[in-house]
Amino acid sequence: MMSTEPITLVALLHGPDQPGLVARVSGWIFERNGNILHADQHRDTEAGVFFQRVEWIPANDPSESPDSAAEEFQSFAASLNMNPKVANLSRRLRVAIFVSKFDHCFHDLVLRSKSGEFSCEIVAIISNHPDLAETARGYGLNYYLIPVTAATKAESEARQLALLQELKVDLVVLARYMQVLSADFLRKFGRPVINIHHSFLPAFAGGKPYHQAHHRGVKLIGATAHYATSDLDEGPIIQQDVARVTHRHEVEDLVRKGRDLEKTVLAQAVRWHLEHRVLVYGNKTVVFD
Amino acid sequence: MMSTEPITLVALLHGPDQPGLVARVSGWIFERNGNILHADQHRDTEAGVFFQRVEWIPANDPSESPDSAAEEFQSFAASLNMNPKVANLSRRLRVAIFVSKFDHCFHDLVLRSKSGEFSCEIVAIISNHPDLAETARGYGLNYYLIPVTAATKAESEARQLALLQELKVDLVVLARYMQVLSADFLRKFGRPVINIHHSFLPAFAGGKPYHQAHHRGVKLIGATAHYATSDLDEGPIIQQDVARVTHRHEVEDLVRKGRDLEKTVLAQAVRWHLEHRVLVYGNKTVVFD
Amino acid sequence: MMSTEPITLVALLHGPDQPGLVARVSGWIFERNGNILHADQHRDTEAGVFFQRVEWIPANDPSESPDSAAEEFQSFAASLNMNPKVANLSRRLRVAIFVSKFDHCFHDLVLRSKSGEFSCEIVAIISNHPDLAETARGYGLNYYLIPVTAATKAESEARQLALLQELKVDLVVLARYMQVLSADFLRKFGRPVINIHHSFLPAFAGGKPYHQAHHRGVKLIGATAHYATSDLDEGPIIQQDVARVTHRHEVEDLVRKGRDLEKTVLAQAVRWHLEHRVLVYGNKTVVFD
Amino acid sequence: MMSTEPITLVALLHGPDQPGLVARVSGWIFERNGNILHADQHRDTEAGVFFQRVEWIPANDPSESPDSAAEEFQSFAASLNMNPKVANLSRRLRVAIFVSKFDHCFHDLVLRSKSGEFSCEIVAIISNHPDLAETARGYGLNYYLIPVTAATKAESEARQLALLQELKVDLVVLARYMQVLSADFLRKFGRPVINIHHSFLPAFAGGKPYHQAHHRGVKLIGATAHYATSDLDEGPIIQQDVARVTHRHEVEDLVRKGRDLEKTVLAQAVRWHLEHRVLVYGNKTVVFD
């Protein structure tokens, strides 16, 4: 396939640290007449791990497709014992947003996408409730109602998975989707799922966390965006933020401020992911921002 | 006793809410020719509790001492079913600072006191280690070395208590004092003790919290100042703050940023306390800032 | 008129400080069997000015309308030399939003209003461009296209004024309306107009402020919400906030971060105004939050 | 000269962007058996300028001194049309702190230096007032009193310059030094001077800025650390921060909060400079943090 527009590739690498990694990676690209736009690296000196994000325009070789350029780099990185992921920036990720009834994160994500802040295609809104169907369609988005009950959970997840597969979804965003996805679902989907949840100092277990926080008299409330793992709310953290509260704020004020935090923290995490800036390593992330 | 300088009194009240409390309290002061400088109130509508901080200059009656004016108000407040604390702002609180080896909060508190930010008298630096003795004396402060071991803990606490009593200490500040005060100590002392500790989202139990936070890849670190209670690190929260960290920050950077947080959060909590702005209610605080 | 639902009144007062003001105001309400829900006051000791916000439920007297209760209080406050504004909280303010082409503040305000965060009625979207017409109608809002050119400005403002009058608008919000309202317009409208604009440290005069800020290498960008006055961007400040930027952020990143700031700062200012928390005094505000 | 301890070098480079810069710089170090610890680069795509910070351990060649390794790199970088600065991290910078009467930044910098946060040697405290002489000596620091009057300014600056030269000072920190250094002084000194000053939204010209800010009713106050240039307070910005204020804060509260901002912002700027993380370009900085 010939490309007339220049292609931009981005690679996220990590592996055991060794001398000369920066030189080798940049040298490899340079020798093939590629042009590095951004290169950022990090060393976890304690763990002896090297991390890199490199963004480059490969030589405009009409005989080579972007896919083969990416594959070639992948082989090269593997030869350095590095764990690589290579993406073509001109290919927009296909995103499914899961919602229940709360709409603030949903509106926020969709409007940012429409305004051009996100480089992605929202291919599905999936919900266990009909509440946001009309709004989604007003935005020109496909809405899939898949009710979930304790009895039908496995079946519902199977339907969700089939849909994600059919739509070739690259990323699921849980925009205040009030259901827990099973470990089985996550394993079968096999692609990233970003979740947002409130977080407090100290943490509160159990239900009604804003009530607990108010009862405890916290002076800060927070939100955390993370990749979903089988260990609920314990996946790799992508972004966090807090807002200040006082005794004057009632529970509903905490909830309202929490909504604003959830919107901005989730949007930031999604944007970083879409720009291939987040490298997951163990249970943590390196965010090349 | 005659006062030539005008006296300023401050009262912190709380009790069951009822109509007319603001009118009654302000009316009582006004009728006695007092001049209200600040009055701030809060209603916890859920719990049905009324909170007030009122600061006023009582009539300059040469026949009445500030103490008797305070007592009179106290009786009046009690007659409204309110739980009152009245303080004479011209009387500076007597503070003891407990330290171990870390000196950042110690320097910060002492320098703020010297610069006039705190209205208090630092009457003792009490430590289980000799490390800061010379520095304390360089500041012109009395340093009391009271070593603490598991075996001598009860005895050491008895010595601390005797010293606090002898020095008529109104407030103890634990400036990174790396010992837990027993419930017995807190009960016998019977006056407020302010503590500072790190806090994270999520929280980390056990030792080396900064290592745990780094390992977990948190994006925020925090500090919480609270009144010490027998339930360690679970007392009423006075102030909290956070700082942003990234994968570029190593454990030592987290510790350094933590020190800055601990200084400012503890200093803020102490200043609010010294200005009689913190009302403790249940396990939470109302801070009239 | 009889009211079956309890009415809540809120008064914003200011005037020369004098002893007994708190007692008198609260006493007045108490004597009439009113129930004060919130009372907050402030003294500008330098200027000798007293400020108060008081929110109360007047006695449920079937013979008295809320309007007459408000008027009675107004007379009383005037008798104390206080400058009073009294509002009935159950009456929702009528708001007109002015927009041009940028839609981020517009969506944000409308969605907050729909979610119940704002107690107001959006009675008109007024624009000099047709771009947002369809979106506004999708929200079920009335859209008025009033083009503005240098030649027709006076005439356009006359049309805007007539419309505001006809719709009994209480508050105009300039949601990135890229036109300057004339001093004449502001005087004739005679009601509050809230504006949002970027703000930087240092400030940048002239066009393309984000380009200037990027060129200057600022580390923070900001936004300020203020009441519009004839002195452009110099009216009383209601709310401000900033976001951190680095050399890695390009102009478009600054613009994007600026949009997020503009949304939250404007929304906060509008909410405080709708809750009658903002008292304008000289060229500054007292915000009873 | 032989080195037994490994030497760490750090280079800050900038120059016209061209393909292959990352590869060439890292390749050059790798070929000489150097070990890159950190490498960070940035492209100003608009201006077409490439920036890099690279930190590496050169091969432990007993026949080569760190100085010659640095010089060799310098020549290499120049051959790429890059403007290089190379430093030996094991050489601690020699710092002179200028103070007047305010002591908060002074204490803060000295205590951070003593606690090991700063890798530098404070070789002189220079002041136009005797106020801090005793405190400085208590810290074991040399205090130089050089009074400055309008009449003697040129002469005083000559004395300051002679002292800085004699003490081989690498960096001057103006820790609330209330005098303006002349353009002539800055040119003759020829090394970096870091200054801290308040900053507000909007900016306030003239004296008593905190009074002006209070009068204007700002909701944020700020501080900016920058390199001093002949254009007062207009040099390249290194760091900025803000704190929130309300109508409840009086001028003295603004001043107090301003002190805290000045301390942390100045300390952060100094630390980045000492770690060779700040690259000045035109009138802005690239901070590799």
Side-chain angles (χ1 to χ4, degrees):
Chain A
M1 195 193 88
M2 266 186 47
S3 73
T4 48
E5 280 271 314
I7 294 298
T8 303
L9 297 179
V10 57
L12 289 167
L13 312 169
H14 72 274
D17 195 16
Q18 50 183 294
L21 284 172
V22 174
R24 276 176 180 156
V25 171
S26 53
W28 188 90
I29 294 170
F30 184 48
E31 284 159 21
R32 277 150 193 80
N33 296 310
N35 187 17
I36 294 178
L37 299 177
H38 298 285
D40 200 359
Q41 48 273 332
H42 172 64
R43 256 182 191 78
D44 185 328
T45 48
E46 207 185 332
V49 180
F50 175 87
F51 304 86
Q52 189 173 39
R53 180 185 187 273
V54 58
E55 194 178 323
W56 78 102
I57 300 177
N60 198 345
D61 179 349
S63 70
E64 192 178 62
S65 74
D67 283 0
S68 73
E71 271 165 40
E72 225 186 313
F73 183 86
Q74 217 128 358
S75 308
F76 161 67
S79 78
L80 297 174
N81 269 321
M82 302 299 282
N83 192 333
K85 264 190 205 169
V86 188
N88 177 346
L89 272 188
S90 55
R91 197 180 84 75
R92 293 153 68 86
L93 292 192
R94 296 170 67 82
V95 174
I97 300 177
F98 278 48
V99 295
S100 286
K101 294 179 171 183
F102 296 124
D103 64 356
H104 53 286
C105 286
F106 163 69
H107 282 297
D108 188 70
L109 292 171
V110 172
L111 288 169
R112 285 178 195 273
S113 174
K114 284 184 175 294
S115 78
E117 270 187 36
F118 289 158
S119 172
C120 73
E121 213 171 318
I122 300 176
V123 296
I125 308 297
I126 299 177
S127 181
N128 55 337
H129 289 292
D131 303 52
L132 302 180
E134 198 185 340
T135 310
R137 284 171 199 139
Y139 282 129
L141 298 169
N142 293 318
Y143 192 85
Y144 300 90
L145 175 62
I146 304 183
V148 179
T149 66
T152 65
K153 176 145 183 167
E155 190 196 332
S156 302
E157 286 197 343
R159 286 180 59 198
Q160 291 168 346
L161 277 168
L163 183 59
L164 296 177
Q165 218 139 23
E166 186 195 322
L167 296 173
K168 296 192 171 62
V169 166
D170 298 300
L171 171 72
V172 162
V173 180
L174 305 179
R176 302 293 283 134
Y177 179 63
M178 306 305 284
Q179 298 285 326
V180 176
L181 298 176
S182 73
D184 192 51
F185 176 97
L186 293 171
R187 204 183 54 249
K188 284 182 181 155
F189 177 50
R191 295 180 165 224
V193 175
I194 295 179
N195 188 30
I196 180 76
H197 75 106
H198 50 74
S199 47
F200 298 97
L201 306 155
F204 301 105
K208 295 209 166 188
Y210 285 103
H211 285 78
Q212 289 190 63
H214 186 255
H215 185 72
R216 182 69 178 81
V218 299
K219 306 303 184 191
L220 294 173
I221 61 168
T224 296
H226 63 97
Y227 288 111
T229 58
S230 56
D231 195 354
L232 181 65
D233 292 343
E234 288 291 326
I237 296 168
I238 309 171
Q239 171 71 334
Q240 303 186 290
D241 206 358
V242 296
R244 198 162 282 284
V245 295
T246 75
H247 63 273
R248 294 175 198 278
H249 293 99
E250 315 217 346
V251 171
E252 68 212 65
D253 296 309
L254 269 58
V255 171
R256 175 177 49 75
K257 282 174 167 271
R259 280 201 301 264
D260 275 3
L261 283 172
E262 288 162 3
K263 286 191 292 189
T264 54
V265 169
L266 179 58
Q268 178 69 85
V270 169
R271 199 158 48 80
W272 278 334
H273 181 89
L274 295 175
E275 296 175 0
H276 305 280
R277 299 187 175 281
V278 191
L279 201 158
V280 176
Y281 167 67
N283 198 35
K284 62 200 279 191
T285 62
V286 169
V287 179
F288 292 109
D289 67 327
Chain B
M1 197 191 87
M2 266 185 45
S3 74
T4 49
E5 281 271 313
I7 296 297
T8 303
L9 297 179
V10 58
L12 289 167
L13 312 169
H14 72 275
D17 194 17
Q18 51 185 292
L21 284 172
V22 174
R24 277 178 179 154
V25 171
S26 54
W28 188 91
I29 292 170
F30 184 48
E31 285 159 20
R32 278 151 192 80
N33 295 312
N35 187 17
I36 294 178
L37 299 178
H38 298 285
D40 200 358
Q41 49 273 331
H42 172 64
R43 256 182 192 79
D44 184 330
T45 48
E46 205 186 334
V49 181
F50 175 87
F51 304 87
Q52 189 172 39
R53 180 185 187 272
V54 58
E55 194 179 320
W56 78 101
I57 301 175
N60 198 346
D61 178 349
S63 71
E64 192 178 60
S65 75
D67 283 0
S68 73
E71 271 164 39
E72 225 184 312
F73 182 87
Q74 214 128 0
S75 310
F76 160 68
S79 79
L80 297 173
N81 268 322
M82 302 300 281
N83 192 332
K85 264 189 203 169
V86 188
N88 177 346
L89 271 188
S90 56
R91 197 180 84 74
R92 293 153 69 84
L93 292 192
R94 298 170 66 80
V95 174
I97 300 176
F98 279 47
V99 295
S100 287
K101 295 180 171 181
F102 295 123
D103 63 357
H104 55 286
C105 285
F106 163 70
H107 282 297
D108 188 71
L109 292 170
V110 172
L111 288 169
R112 286 179 195 272
S113 174
K114 283 185 176 293
S115 78
E117 271 187 36
F118 289 158
S119 171
C120 72
E121 212 172 317
I122 299 175
V123 297
I125 307 298
I126 298 178
S127 181
N128 55 337
H129 289 291
D131 304 51
L132 301 180
E134 199 185 340
T135 311
R137 284 171 199 140
Y139 281 130
L141 297 169
N142 293 318
Y143 193 86
Y144 300 89
L145 175 61
I146 303 182
V148 179
T149 66
T152 66
K153 176 145 184 168
E155 190 196 331
S156 301
E157 286 197 342
R159 286 179 60 197
Q160 291 167 347
L161 277 168
L163 183 60
L164 296 177
Q165 218 138 24
E166 186 195 321
L167 295 172
K168 298 190 171 63
V169 166
D170 298 300
L171 172 72
V172 162
V173 180
L174 305 180
R176 302 291 284 132
Y177 178 65
M178 306 304 284
Q179 298 285 326
V180 176
L181 299 175
S182 73
D184 192 51
F185 175 97
L186 292 171
R187 204 184 54 248
K188 284 183 180 154
F189 178 50
R191 297 183 162 221
V193 175
I194 296 179
N195 188 30
I196 180 77
H197 75 105
H198 50 75
S199 47
F200 298 97
L201 306 156
F204 301 106
K208 296 209 167 190
Y210 286 103
H211 284 79
Q212 289 189 64
H214 185 255
H215 186 72
R216 182 69 177 81
V218 299
K219 306 303 186 191
L220 294 173
I221 60 168
T224 296
H226 63 97
Y227 288 111
T229 59
S230 57
D231 195 354
L232 180 66
D233 294 344
E234 288 291 326
I237 296 170
I238 309 170
Q239 170 71 336
Q240 303 186 290
D241 206 357
V242 296
R244 199 162 282 283
V245 295
T246 75
H247 64 273
R248 294 174 199 278
H249 293 101
E250 315 216 348
V251 171
E252 67 213 64
D253 296 309
L254 269 58
V255 171
R256 174 175 51 76
K257 281 173 168 272
R259 281 201 301 263
D260 275 4
L261 283 172
E262 288 163 4
K263 286 191 293 190
T264 53
V265 168
L266 179 58
Q268 178 68 86
V270 168
R271 197 157 52 80
W272 278 334
H273 181 89
L274 295 175
E275 295 174 3
H276 305 280
R277 298 187 176 281
V278 191
L279 201 159
V280 176
Y281 167 67
N283 197 35
K284 62 200 275 189
T285 62
V286 169
V287 179
F288 292 109
D289 65 328
Chain C
M1 198 193 87
M2 267 186 45
S3 75
T4 50
E5 281 271 312
I7 293 298
T8 303
L9 297 180
V10 57
L12 289 166
L13 313 168
H14 71 274
D17 194 17
Q18 51 183 294
L21 284 173
V22 174
R24 276 175 180 158
V25 172
S26 54
W28 188 91
I29 294 170
F30 184 48
E31 285 159 20
R32 278 151 192 80
N33 296 312
N35 187 16
I36 294 179
L37 299 177
H38 298 284
D40 199 358
Q41 48 272 333
H42 172 65
R43 255 180 194 80
D44 184 330
T45 47
E46 206 186 333
V49 180
F50 175 86
F51 303 87
Q52 190 172 38
R53 180 185 186 273
V54 59
E55 194 179 322
W56 78 101
I57 300 176
N60 197 347
D61 178 349
S63 72
E64 192 178 60
S65 75
D67 283 359
S68 72
E71 270 164 39
E72 226 186 311
F73 183 86
Q74 216 129 359
S75 308
F76 161 67
S79 79
L80 298 173
N81 268 322
M82 302 299 282
N83 192 332
K85 263 189 205 170
V86 187
N88 177 347
L89 271 188
S90 56
R91 198 181 82 74
R92 294 154 66 87
L93 292 192
R94 298 169 65 80
V95 174
I97 300 178
F98 279 48
V99 295
S100 288
K101 295 180 172 182
F102 295 124
D103 63 357
H104 54 286
C105 285
F106 163 70
H107 282 297
D108 188 71
L109 293 170
V110 172
L111 288 170
R112 286 179 194 273
S113 175
K114 284 184 175 292
S115 77
E117 271 187 36
F118 289 157
S119 171
C120 72
E121 213 172 318
I122 300 177
V123 296
I125 308 297
I126 299 177
S127 181
N128 55 336
H129 289 291
D131 303 50
L132 301 179
E134 199 186 340
T135 312
R137 283 168 200 142
Y139 281 129
L141 298 169
N142 293 318
Y143 193 85
Y144 300 89
L145 175 61
I146 303 183
V148 179
T149 65
T152 65
K153 176 146 185 168
E155 191 196 330
S156 301
E157 286 196 343
R159 287 180 57 198
Q160 291 167 346
L161 278 168
L163 182 60
L164 297 176
Q165 218 138 23
E166 185 195 320
L167 296 172
K168 295 191 172 63
V169 166
D170 297 301
L171 171 71
V172 163
V173 179
L174 305 180
R176 304 291 285 133
Y177 179 64
M178 306 304 284
Q179 297 286 326
V180 177
L181 298 176
S182 72
D184 192 51
F185 176 97
L186 293 170
R187 204 185 55 248
K188 283 182 182 156
F189 177 50
R191 297 183 162 221
V193 175
I194 296 180
N195 188 30
I196 180 75
H197 75 106
H198 50 72
S199 48
F200 298 97
L201 305 156
F204 300 106
K208 298 210 163 186
Y210 286 103
H211 284 78
Q212 289 189 63
H214 186 256
H215 186 71
R216 183 68 178 82
V218 299
K219 306 302 185 191
L220 295 173
I221 60 167
T224 295
H226 64 96
Y227 288 111
T229 57
S230 57
D231 194 355
L232 180 67
D233 293 342
E234 289 291 325
I237 295 169
I238 308 170
Q239 171 71 334
Q240 303 186 290
D241 205 357
V242 296
R244 198 162 283 285
V245 294
T246 75
H247 64 273
R248 293 175 199 276
H249 294 99
E250 313 216 350
V251 171
E252 67 213 65
D253 296 309
L254 269 58
V255 171
R256 174 177 51 76
K257 281 173 167 271
R259 281 200 300 263
D260 275 4
L261 283 172
E262 287 163 4
K263 286 191 293 190
T264 54
V265 168
L266 179 59
Q268 178 67 87
V270 168
R271 199 158 49 80
W272 278 335
H273 180 89
L274 295 175
E275 296 174 2
H276 305 280
R277 299 187 176 281
V278 191
L279 200 159
V280 177
Y281 168 68
N283 197 37
K284 62 199 277 191
T285 62
V286 168
V287 179
F288 292 110
D289 65 330
Chain D
M1 197 193 86
M2 268 186 45
S3 74
T4 49
E5 281 270 313
I7 295 298
T8 303
L9 297 180
V10 57
L12 290 167
L13 311 170
H14 72 274
D17 194 16
Q18 51 184 293
L21 284 172
V22 174
R24 276 175 180 158
V25 171
S26 54
W28 189 91
I29 293 171
F30 184 49
E31 285 159 21
R32 278 151 193 79
N33 296 311
N35 188 16
I36 294 178
L37 299 177
H38 297 285
D40 200 358
Q41 48 274 333
H42 172 63
R43 256 181 193 78
D44 185 329
T45 47
E46 205 186 334
V49 181
F50 175 87
F51 303 87
Q52 189 173 39
R53 181 185 186 272
V54 57
E55 195 178 321
W56 79 100
I57 301 177
N60 198 346
D61 178 350
S63 69
E64 192 178 61
S65 74
D67 283 0
S68 73
E71 270 164 40
E72 226 185 314
F73 183 86
Q74 216 129 0
S75 307
F76 162 67
S79 79
L80 298 173
N81 269 322
M82 302 299 281
N83 192 332
K85 263 190 205 169
V86 187
N88 177 346
L89 272 189
S90 56
R91 197 180 83 74
R92 293 153 68 85
L93 292 192
R94 298 171 65 81
V95 174
I97 300 177
F98 279 47
V99 295
S100 286
K101 295 179 171 183
F102 296 123
D103 63 356
H104 54 286
C105 286
F106 163 70
H107 282 297
D108 187 71
L109 292 171
V110 172
L111 288 169
R112 285 178 195 272
S113 175
K114 284 185 176 294
S115 77
E117 270 187 36
F118 289 158
S119 172
C120 72
E121 213 172 317
I122 299 177
V123 296
I125 308 298
I126 299 177
S127 181
N128 55 337
H129 288 291
D131 303 51
L132 301 179
E134 200 185 339
T135 311
R137 283 170 199 141
Y139 281 130
L141 297 169
N142 293 318
Y143 193 85
Y144 300 89
L145 175 61
I146 304 183
V148 180
T149 64
T152 67
K153 176 143 184 169
E155 191 196 332
S156 302
E157 286 197 342
R159 286 180 58 198
Q160 291 168 345
L161 277 169
L163 183 59
L164 296 177
Q165 218 139 22
E166 185 196 321
L167 295 173
K168 295 190 173 63
V169 166
D170 297 300
L171 172 70
V172 162
V173 179
L174 304 180
R176 301 292 286 134
Y177 178 65
M178 306 305 283
Q179 297 285 326
V180 176
L181 297 176
S182 72
D184 192 50
F185 175 97
L186 293 171
R187 204 184 55 247
K188 284 182 180 155
F189 177 50
R191 294 179 165 225
V193 175
I194 296 178
N195 188 31
I196 180 76
H197 75 107
H198 49 75
S199 48
F200 299 97
L201 305 154
F204 300 106
K208 296 209 166 187
Y210 285 102
H211 284 78
Q212 289 190 64
H214 185 255
H215 185 71
R216 183 68 178 81
V218 298
K219 305 303 184 190
L220 294 174
I221 61 167
T224 296
H226 62 97
Y227 289 111
T229 57
S230 55
D231 195 353
L232 181 65
D233 293 344
E234 288 291 324
I237 296 169
I238 309 170
Q239 171 71 335
Q240 302 186 289
D241 207 357
V242 296
R244 198 162 283 284
V245 296
T246 74
H247 64 273
R248 293 175 200 277
H249 293 100
E250 316 216 347
V251 171
E252 68 213 64
D253 296 309
L254 269 58
V255 171
R256 174 176 51 73
K257 281 172 167 272
R259 281 200 300 264
D260 276 3
L261 283 173
E262 287 163 3
K263 285 192 293 191
T264 53
V265 169
L266 180 58
Q268 178 68 86
V270 168
R271 198 157 50 79
W272 279 333
H273 181 89
L274 295 175
E275 295 174 3
H276 305 280
R277 298 187 177 282
V278 191
L279 201 159
V280 176
Y281 168 67
N283 197 37
K284 63 199 276 190
T285 63
V286 169
V287 179
F288 292 109
D289 65 328

